[in-house]
């Protein structure tokens, strides 16, 4: 932020900025601003997001601040859901879910038979491999 040269022209006396004790000049910054108080001249008051000039005499005035802004607005899922519920598409989705649920309820026997046949067709029954037993317990070699 750059202040116009004529903004403080009424307070300039012989190349110095002089603000009397009965005058206050306030600069308001955004709520998320962080003001660097180390560069402020003696007598300048900085509280949260306001810089107040009163009863000071200085030859330069510099206010530095940081402004943190998010890259993108945060996503508000509750607002998305609320907007969806108020749209005509929401009613269509409810109707589709109800029709599909009714269809499944009326044809549950057909679905259970199809699931059963699918499981049977795609299942493999395997037995453990038999261990070879050596029938030759002794040796006749002498």
């Amino acid at each position: 932020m750059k202040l116009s040269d004529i903004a403080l022209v009424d307070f300039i006396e012989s190349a110095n900025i002089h603000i009397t004790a009965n005058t206050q000049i306030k600069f308001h910054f955004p709520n998320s601003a962080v003001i660097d108080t180390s560069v402020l001249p003696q007598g300048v008051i900085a509280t949260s997001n306001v810089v107040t000039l009163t009863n000071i005499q200085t030859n330069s005035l510099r206010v530095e601040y940081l402004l943190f802004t998010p890259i993108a607005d945060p996503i508000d899922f509750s607002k998305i859901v609320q907007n969806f519920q108020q749209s005509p598409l929401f009613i269509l989705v409810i109707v589709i879910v109800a029709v599909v649920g009714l269809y499944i309820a009326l044809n549950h026997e057909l679905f259970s038979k199809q699931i059963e046949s699918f499981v049977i067709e795609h299942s493999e029954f395997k037995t453990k491999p038999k261990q070879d037993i050596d029938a030759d317990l002794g040796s006749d070699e002498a």
Side-chain angles (χ1 to χ4, degrees):
M1 171 178 100
K2 180 155 173 69
L3 194 62
S4 172
D5 292 338
I6 61 169
L8 297 174
V9 73
D10 292 338
F11 302 101
I12 296 177
E13 296 176 357
S14 65
N16 284 329
I17 300 171
H18 179 71
I19 300 172
T20 60
N22 61 354
T23 304
Q24 280 190 345
I25 299 174
K26 293 186 177 189
F27 296 100
H28 294 271
F29 294 92
N31 289 334
S32 61
V34 177
I35 300 168
D36 184 5
T37 56
S38 65
V39 297
L40 295 176
Q42 189 71 23
V44 175
I45 302 167
T47 55
S48 63
N49 62 334
V50 178
V51 173
T52 305
L53 308 177
T54 186
N55 195 25
I56 64 164
Q57 184 167 353
T58 182
N59 61 354
S60 68
L61 179 62
R62 187 173 105 196
V63 178
E64 291 184 11
Y65 66 97
L66 296 172
L67 185 60
F68 297 103
T69 57
I71 294 172
D73 291 335
I75 297 172
D76 187 4
F77 288 109
S78 63
K79 194 170 202 170
I80 292 170
V81 170
Q82 183 181 13
N83 288 342
F84 178 68
Q85 287 176 343
Q86 294 172 352
S87 73
L89 184 62
F90 180 69
I91 296 171
L92 180 64
V93 169
I94 295 296
V95 169
I96 290 171
V97 167
V99 168
V100 169
L102 183 63
Y103 180 76
I104 290 172
L106 293 175
N107 296 307
H108 69 281
E109 288 181 20
L110 174 67
F111 286 118
S112 64
K113 287 180 184 178
Q114 286 179 344
I115 292 171
E116 184 180 342
S117 65
F118 178 83
V119 170
I120 290 172
E121 288 177 15
H122 293 86
S123 296
E124 291 183 23
F125 295 103
K126 293 184 179 179
T127 58
K128 288 184 179 180
K130 294 182 180 178
Q131 291 180 346
D132 292 336
I133 299 175
D134 191 6
D136 188 18
L137 296 175
S139 174
D140 288 345
E141 294 176 42

